[in-house]
Amino acid sequence: MDFHPTDEQAEAAALAARIFRDLATHERLAAAGTGSDAELWKALTAAGLTAAVEDVGLLGLVLLLEEQGRTTAQVPYAATCVYGILPVAAHGSAEQRARLLPALGSGEAIATGAFPARGRITASPDGRLTGTAPVVPWLRDATHVLVPDADRALWLVRTDTPGVGTSQVETTAPWSAGSLVLAGAEAERLGGAAAHDAVLASARTAFAGLQAGVCAGSLARAVEYTSTREQFGRPLSTNQGVMLRAADAHMDTEAIRVTAYEAAWRIDEGLPAREHALTAAWWASEAGKRVVHAGQHLHGGMGADLDHPVHRHFLWGRQLDAYLGCGSELLAELGALLSDHAAPEGDQA
């Protein structure tokens, strides 16, 4: 395996870092409240960073989402890519790709996904959906929602279609979330029987990359704070306890990053990767919450300030901790998968 980015991936990540750094400032994030930053979204799409995902692949997207996570930029970038551009490119028909990808790449269309649906939505034989997804991230921005039904078939629904109802939902992270209610809403099928698991694996990998960025940003803020904040005449960073806590957070962040890279690389190469995506998601959940807790703790009393930038990393980290499965759920799913793989050999024994 080779985790070194291609020139195209590295250039896209560098451009994304510059845009996020320049526009996703603390002041702009505070002004956005729980909504998205429309100007930042326009800047990303104008720079070609949404359309580029088709070319840079999932590993390239992970690199881009790391940059978003560092700044906790409030745009529907991850959702549009993992529930729109990548699944349409991989599983859509020629007609769907020609119709949907240009709009998604330009930012004219915004996608999100009703994952995990947990069997709450059913589809009629004529492709009409009924059911509820209580919390869908970035739903308030979306023009399209990728919806898995109870049989794990994937359907693409326009939010302006009759029979589609949405209402605002507040989550710990400001993700423009909403509740989706479908009452016989017309939808179009996307992909075949294998599409659901493939999209879920890609989504778990991509959001692990986002969590790696959130953790890296939280740790960077903690390092800066403890290096400049003095206590008893010396920087807090010279305290052994502070150094050890930061070192543990660094190792956890690197574990999230490398497992996300491995899963993304395998998916891009067409190799089996379901276990690797679950591993990345588990690290993002378990290690991610440790890191954002450490980042807040290392800020001392300032970490308790809800208006401090590090608190935003804490909220994002905790939201990502439970999104698409918390640690114990992911571990149970991974254990069952490994057990299924080992069953034939065990039966022979």
Side-chain angles (χ1 to χ4, degrees), residues 93-336:
S93 65
E95 186 277 330
Q96 287 175 320
R97 293 194 298 271
R99 171 167 48 88
L100 295 169
L101 288 176
L104 290 166
S106 68
E108 177 186 351
I110 296 174
T112 189
F115 283 74
R118 305 187 190 281
R120 295 187 178 98
I121 296 170
T122 58
S124 66
D126 61 347
R128 293 185 177 274
L129 304 183
T130 300
T132 302
V135 181
V136 180
W138 292 287
L139 180 62
R140 285 180 259 162
D141 302 323
T143 59
H144 296 75
V145 186
L146 189 63
V147 179
D149 67 18
D151 296 320
R152 299 165 76 87
L154 293 182
W155 303 85
L156 201 59
V157 183
R158 286 189 60 94
T159 55
D160 59 0
T161 298
V164 176
T166 63
S167 58
Q168 183 169 323
V169 172
E170 299 298 342
T171 63
T172 55
W175 286 0
S176 298
S179 174
L180 178 69
V181 178
L182 302 171
E186 186 176 351
E188 59 179 308
R189 181 72 184 269
L190 185 70
H196 175 276
D197 287 352
V199 171
L200 182 57
S202 293
R204 282 171 165 164
T205 302
F207 281 102
L210 185 63
Q211 181 75 303
V214 169
C215 291
S218 174
L219 183 57
R221 291 188 182 279
V223 169
E224 180 183 10
Y225 178 80
T226 57
S227 297
T228 56
R229 170 75 170 176
E230 291 191 358
Q231 190 176 56
F232 305 118
R234 62 177 186 171
L236 286 172
S237 59
T238 61
N239 183 294
Q240 187 179 41
V242 171
M243 288 190 285
L244 291 173
R245 190 80 188 275
D248 286 342
H250 171 73
M251 294 301 295
D252 273 337
T253 301
E254 289 302 300
I256 300 169
R257 177 180 289 116
V258 73
T259 52
Y261 285 6
E262 181 181 14
W265 177 83
R266 291 184 67 89
I267 290 171
D268 284 343
E269 293 295 314
L271 299 171
R274 188 177 169 193
E275 299 97 324
H276 302 81
L278 282 165
T279 301
W282 182 84
W283 275 103
S285 175
E286 291 294 304
K289 63 186 172 188
R290 286 198 298 265
V291 174
V292 296
H293 274 270
Q296 195 167 24
H297 185 204
L298 289 173
H299 277 76
M302 295 300 295
D305 183 358
L306 301 185
D307 295 324
H308 195 283
V310 77
H311 187 66
R312 189 175 290 108
H313 290 270
F314 175 79
L315 296 179
W316 276 64
R318 290 314 308 258
Q319 187 71 34
L320 286 165
D321 157 36
Y323 184 54
L324 299 180
C326 66
S328 58
E329 291 175 317
L330 295 164
L331 197 60
E333 187 177 342
L334 178 59

